Amino acid sequence: MAAHGTLSTPFTAASTADDVLRGVDLTGVRAIVTGGSSGIRRETARALTAAGARVTLAVRNTAAGDAVAETIGRSTGRIPPRVVRLDLADRATVTRFVDAWSGPLHLLVNNAGVVTGGLERTREGWELQFATNHLGHFALAVGLHDALAEGASDRDGARIVSVSSTAHMRSGVDFDDLHFERRAYDPQIAYAQSKTANSLFAVEATRLWASDGIVANAVNPGGVATGLQRNFTRRQRESLDAAEAAGVFTYRTVEQGAATSVVAAVRPEFAHSGGHYLDDAREARTVPDDADLADHPHGVKEWALDPATAVRLWAVSTDLLRS
C-alpha cells in the first residue's frame, strides 16, 4: 500500500479547477471525461479544454452533450469537445465506445455516476449503482488500456482519475452479496459500496499498469449540489442534511469540486504515483475501518485502499464482465 498523508500540493478546498491549471499547457493531451454534460464533470471538461486539451465527452444524452460542448468551445475559444454516446450500465455501448477509439489516450476521468432511491437492476441483474459507477468504468478503462499505454509512451505517462466520494466510508465491498440478492436493499449502502470500489480500482490499476506508464488515483470532489441528487429519497436528503449540520462537509461550488480531479489529472506530484485517494487537493489520511465519518470527514478508510481487496475486486469484476 502507498504511504498516506505524504503527497500534498499548493492547493486547498477553496481552490478551483482554473487555479490548478493556471500556467499549465495541455496542448496535445487527449482526454475523456465520462458523464461530461453536467455538474463537476462538465466543469472538469471545460477547464481541461481551456488549458488546451482535446476532450471527448462520453455521455448517455448526446443532445445535452452537444449543447455543453458548444458552450465550452464558445466560452474557452478552444476546439469544442467531441461528444460520443456512452451508457455505463450497457456493456454494448461501452464496447462500441472502446472499439471506436483510435490513437493514444493521455487522460481518462471516470466521473459519471448514478444514485438511486430504490433497487434498480441492469439487464444482467446487477445492482445499478455498482454496475454503473464501478463495473462500467472498469470495463471502459480495461478496454482503453492499450490507448492509455500508447499515450503514456509519448507524454511520459498516462493517468486515470477515478471519482469516489466520502460516502465510501459507509461501506466496504460485500463480496458475498454484491448485488443485494439476499440482504435488504439500502441505496446509501449500495452507493457507498460503489464508491469504495472506485478507490480500489485505482489501487489495482496502478499495480498492474504502472509498468506501462499508467497510474490511477481516486478523488473525493467534496460536497457539491449537482444533478446526482435528483433521485434522492426523503431519507437520503435527511441524511445529507444531517451530515452537513454535523460538519461532515460544507457545500462548495462546481469549480471547487472539480479542482481535486484536475489535481490528480495534471499535477506533477501524481505524475508517476498512483493508488492514492485525494481529498481537498491532496492525499487524504488513512483512518481505521471503524472510524466515524463525522470525526474524519476528509479521511479514507483502510478498506478503500487495501491491496488484497483490490486484487479480489479486479478478479470478480473481470469474471462478471466475461459472464
Side-chain angles (χ1 to χ4, degrees), residues 9 11 20 159 258-268 270 278 281-282:
T9 73
F11 304 101
V20 178
R159 307 192 202 191
T260 302
S261 291
V262 174
V263 163
V266 306
R267 285 296 300 180
F270 299 96
L278 282 63
R282 59 169 294 155

Side-chain angles (χ1 to χ4, degrees), residues 6-17:
T6 57
L7 294 179
S8 62
T9 73
F11 304 101
T12 69
S15 301
T16 66

Side-chain angles (χ1 to χ4, degrees), residues 13-14 221-226 229 232 236-245 247-254 256-257 298:
V224 180
T226 69
Q229 292 93 16
F232 274 17
Q236 287 170 305
R237 293 185 186 280
E238 289 174 347
S239 177
L240 191 65
D241 291 342
E244 182 186 11
V248 171
F249 71 92
T250 302
Y251 277 109
R252 62 188 67 182
T253 67
V254 291
Q256 293 168 331
H298 300 287

Side-chain angles (χ1 to χ4, degrees), residues 53-89:
R54 294 297 305 273
V55 175
T56 295
L57 301 180
V59 297
R60 283 187 299 173
N61 185 337
T62 55
D66 287 338
V68 166
E70 181 181 354
T71 299
I72 288 175
R74 191 167 57 246
S75 67
T76 63
R78 300 280 193 170
I79 297 173
R82 186 170 66 114
V83 178
V84 180
R85 186 170 186 275
L86 175 70
D87 182 347
L88 291 163

Side-chain angles (χ1 to χ4, degrees), residues 12 16 38 52-53 89 96 110 115 121 141 151 157 182 216 248 256 259 319:
T12 69
T16 66
S38 64
R96 283 197 292 272
N110 286 334
V115 172
R121 297 193 182 278
R182 293 177 297 280
V248 171
Q256 293 168 331
D319 289 344

